[in-house]
Amino acid sequence: MKKFFALILGLSLAIHAKFRSIDADTLVKMQKAGVPVIDIRTPGEWKERGVIKGAHLMMFFDEQGRPHIEEWMKKLKQLVQSKDAPFIIYCAHANRSKALGKWLSDKVGYRKVYELGGGIEYGWKDVGKQVAGSR
């Protein structure tokens, strides 16, 4: 009986997962289905490393690592109309997007936050996906 309850608990946690990492192919499919993709890197990173075509450029952490919470949340609310609506965030290597995604999920209450595992460098470019706008 304990095993049954443990299985049910595990399944319910998986079903109600709020924050998940996804791979590049999943990002492409979700983006084609209309899910917004948000690049949270700095303008210098966008220019230097390129961006995923169609991504919304919304810097969250500045060059000194300080968050721009109020301004960023205002933009997010315009883009993502409901806390139940899915969206994808990414950064360079997934460190910032993991931190932001967990915060948006655990503290702010967004229920369908996804992040590109490995970020644009390891999760996108290293698997052969193209970027727009790099030098």
Side-chain angles (χ1 to χ4, degrees):
M1 193 63 137
K2 285 183 182 181
K3 287 182 182 181
F4 174 76
F5 285 119
L7 176 63
I8 296 299
L9 176 62
L11 288 174
S12 68
L13 290 174
I15 291 169
H16 292 57
K18 296 178 182 181
F19 174 67
R20 286 192 355 208
S21 291
I22 58 171
D23 63 18
D25 290 333
T26 303
L27 183 148
V28 169
K29 289 175 190 170
M30 291 175 73
Q31 187 179 37
K32 283 182 181 177
V35 175
V37 176
I38 304 168
D39 187 327
I40 67 166
R41 297 174 302 149
T42 64
E45 290 175 292
W46 301 331
K47 190 174 183 180
E48 183 68 30
R49 303 289 188 176
V51 299
I52 294 173
K53 187 175 180 181
H56 298 270
L57 307 181
M58 296 171 43
M59 179 184 72
F60 186 79
F61 298 99
D62 65 18
E63 289 83 0
Q64 289 75 41
R66 294 180 302 240
H68 291 258
I69 296 170
E70 190 173 315
E71 178 184 329
W72 196 86
M73 288 303 296
K74 184 185 281 187
K75 290 178 184 177
L76 181 65
K77 288 176 184 175
Q78 291 173 347
L79 184 63
V80 179
Q81 302 293 311
S82 160
K83 289 189 177 180
D84 289 318
F87 62 96
I88 304 163
I89 57 177
Y90 73 90
C91 64
H93 304 105
N95 296 321
R96 291 170 284 180
S97 59
K98 279 192 192 316
L100 177 57
K102 288 179 183 179
W103 178 76
L104 288 167
S105 169
D106 296 345
K107 304 296 183 191
V108 183
Y110 283 90
R111 292 172 188 85
K112 296 179 182 174
V113 182
Y114 300 89
E115 64 99 19
L116 175 61
I120 195 168
E121 293 298 324
Y122 304 126
W124 190 261
K125 289 178 170 181
D126 279 3
V127 299
K129 301 291 186 189
Q130 297 298 309
V131 295
S134 62
R135 291 187 205 164

